[in-house]
């Protein structure tokens, strides 16, 4: 319906879509089960502080013999200055801590440069790392971003560094990182990839769904779609399943009331379909969805 050449949530059965639209906040909380937890926050201050504290809690566990890392997003970003402030106030030495960036734009056969205003690495530096006391910052070699040659990034996940938590937001295509639905072509013309197939995907270059391009243009380029790359590098399901916990943060900014409900329903009920990539997390043993209650909205019809 939205992009006929692609799989996406509009290719699901109407019954699933209808059930999601009817969920109340109380229904969403009731979707919690072993391995999947739904948490609400009543204020944005509490929401973003809790998100920032996930970094701190993880990094506090890091030692020379047992390094610990966090895989973090660009979107949301409001938690990043709070992370820096907490590190400084607590005088938390990050010598043995690690950080993986989830993704980066891919343009002309290579990762976008840090000089670009839309660079994810640049955003992390400006909002978090460069705000930390230099004496407390983690070494540069402990900060990992996906590059065109993905071997170094993939290798960093296999060096004995424990990923305590992978954070993320949720895009309009119901992705985490840039794990978008695939095109309806070739072997996936009639059916999207199975769970087993999708889980084998590692860090890679991806073609972005048109919905994702539109969303990022809206949030990062004032709606100028031509200012947003159509490809990106993204952390894969292989690395995601190496993380001890996957923590998704939804303040009602990046996905709408319906989308926030749909993925909770699918994960809570273990309805897995790679047309909705986030639903694959139903197979992960430790997933937490964090919502700002004021951003849940409703799915009722309202004219503007």
């Amino acid at each position: 319906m939205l992009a006929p050449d692609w799989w996406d949530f509009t290719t699901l059965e109407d019954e699933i879509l209808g059930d999601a639209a009817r969920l109340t906040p109380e229904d969403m909380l009731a979707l919690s089960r072993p391995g999947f937890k739904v948490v609400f926050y009543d204020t944005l201050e509490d929401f973003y502080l809790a998100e920032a504290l996930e970094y701190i809690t993880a990094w506090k566990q890091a030692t020379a013999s047992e390094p610990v890392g966090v895989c973090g997003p660009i979107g949301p970003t409001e938690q990043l200055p709070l992370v820096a402030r907490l590190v400084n106030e607590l005088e938390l030495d990050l010598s043995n801590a690690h950080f993986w960036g989830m993704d980066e734009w891919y343009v002309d056969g290579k990762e976008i440069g840090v000089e670009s205003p839309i660079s994810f690495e640049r955003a992390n530096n400006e909002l978090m790392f460069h705000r930390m006391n230099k004496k407390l910052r983690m070494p540069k070699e402990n900060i990992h971003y996906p590059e065109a040659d993905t071997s170094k990034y993939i290798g960093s996940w296999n060096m004995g560094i424990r990923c305590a938590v992978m954070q993320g937001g949720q895009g309009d295509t119901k992705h985490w990182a840039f794990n978008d639905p695939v095109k309806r072509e070739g072997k996936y013309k009639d059916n999207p990839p199975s769970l087993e197939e999708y889980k084998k995907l590692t860090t890679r270059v991806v073609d972005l769904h048109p919905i994702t391009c539109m969303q990022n243009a809206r949030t990062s380029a004032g709606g100028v779609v031509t200012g947003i790359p159509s490809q990106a590098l993204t952390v894969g399901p292989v690395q995601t399943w190496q993380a001890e916990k996957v923590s998704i943060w939804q303040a009602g900014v990046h996905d709408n009331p319906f989308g926030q409900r749909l993925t909770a329903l699918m994960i809570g009920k273990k309805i897995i379909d790679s047309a909705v990539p986030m639903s694959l997390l139903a197979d992960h043993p430790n997933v937490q969805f964090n919502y700002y209650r004021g951003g849940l909205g409703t799915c009722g019809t309202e004219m503007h």
Side-chain angles (χ1 to χ4, degrees):
M1 178 179 176
L2 294 175
D5 294 333
W6 293 75
W7 293 101
D8 58 52
F9 64 92
T10 63
T11 63
L12 294 176
E13 297 178 2
D14 288 343
E15 182 179 359
I16 297 174
L17 302 178
D19 287 346
R22 286 187 289 271
L23 289 177
T24 66
E26 291 69 28
D27 293 334
M28 296 171 72
L29 284 171
L31 291 169
S32 294
R33 57 168 175 77
F36 178 55
K37 185 177 182 181
V38 177
V39 179
F40 284 176
Y41 301 87
D42 290 327
T43 67
L44 284 174
E45 291 84 358
D46 193 24
F47 179 89
Y48 288 119
L49 178 59
E51 185 175 10
L53 284 170
E54 281 194 335
Y55 285 68
I56 303 303
T57 300
W59 286 340
K60 282 177 65 177
Q61 301 172 47
T63 65
S65 59
E66 296 185 6
V68 177
V70 169
C71 183
I74 293 297
T77 58
E78 289 84 351
Q79 78 281 5
L80 298 179
L82 299 178
V83 173
R85 180 177 289 274
L86 288 166
V87 167
N88 292 338
E89 291 294 330
L90 296 171
E91 297 185 344
L92 182 60
D93 184 351
L94 300 182
S95 299
N96 301 305
H98 284 252
F99 175 81
W100 289 276
M102 296 190 85
D103 36 30
E104 188 56 276
W105 298 112
Y106 182 81
V107 180
D108 296 330
K110 60 182 180 181
E111 68 279 0
I112 203 166
V114 72
E115 70 281 353
S116 170
I118 62 171
S119 161
F120 294 163
E121 181 177 358
R122 176 175 177 168
N124 276 313
N125 286 340
E126 293 181 349
L127 294 173
M128 179 172 63
F129 288 120
H130 290 178
R131 300 188 185 201
M132 293 177 183
N133 186 317
K134 290 182 179 180
K135 295 180 180 180
L136 300 173
R137 293 179 196 168
M138 64 185 66
K140 287 186 177 180
E141 59 267 25
N142 290 15
I143 302 175
H144 317 281
Y145 288 99
E147 300 174 342
D149 179 358
T150 59
S151 58
K152 183 178 179 181
Y153 183 83
I154 293 171
S156 70
W157 285 85
N158 301 306
M159 294 170 52
I161 307 161
R162 179 166 63 88
C163 180
V165 62
M166 176 182 286
Q167 280 194 355
Q170 175 172 298
D172 285 345
T173 54
K174 326 309 170 200
H175 64 205
W176 82 98
F178 277 128
N179 291 293
D180 271 5
V182 303
K183 291 180 178 178
R184 302 179 75 165
E185 61 182 18
K187 64 184 294 187
Y188 302 125
K189 180 175 176 59
D190 298 319
N191 293 287
S194 67
L195 167 65
E196 291 72 22
E197 289 174 302
Y198 206 102
K199 278 181 62 178
K200 291 178 181 178
L201 297 175
T202 188
T203 301
R204 65 208 185 280
V205 176
V206 292
D207 293 323
L208 300 177
H209 194 289
I211 297 174
T212 297
C213 294
M214 286 290 292
Q215 177 178 12
N216 280 276
R218 173 176 57 82
T219 59
S220 303
V224 182
V225 179
T226 53
I228 294 297
S230 60
Q231 291 183 305
L233 290 147
T234 193
V235 67
V238 168
Q239 290 74 39
T240 302
W241 264 255
Q242 289 179 255
E244 292 181 355
K245 178 182 180 180
V246 179
S247 186
I248 304 299
W249 294 81
Q250 305 196 57
V253 177
H254 293 98
D255 202 359
N256 54 47
F258 171 74
Q260 293 180 72
R261 287 161 168 77
L262 177 63
T263 51
L265 174 71
M266 296 183 75
I267 295 176
K269 298 293 186 181
K270 296 188 177 182
I271 304 169
I272 297 175
D273 189 317
S274 68
V276 180
M278 193 72 83
S279 73
L280 276 65
L281 295 179
D283 180 69
H284 192 284
N286 187 7
V287 177
Q288 182 168 312
F289 269 26
N290 305 275
Y291 293 97
Y292 166 50
R293 190 183 290 268
L296 286 172
T298 65
C299 293
T301 301
E302 182 179 356
M303 299 301 293
H304 292 277

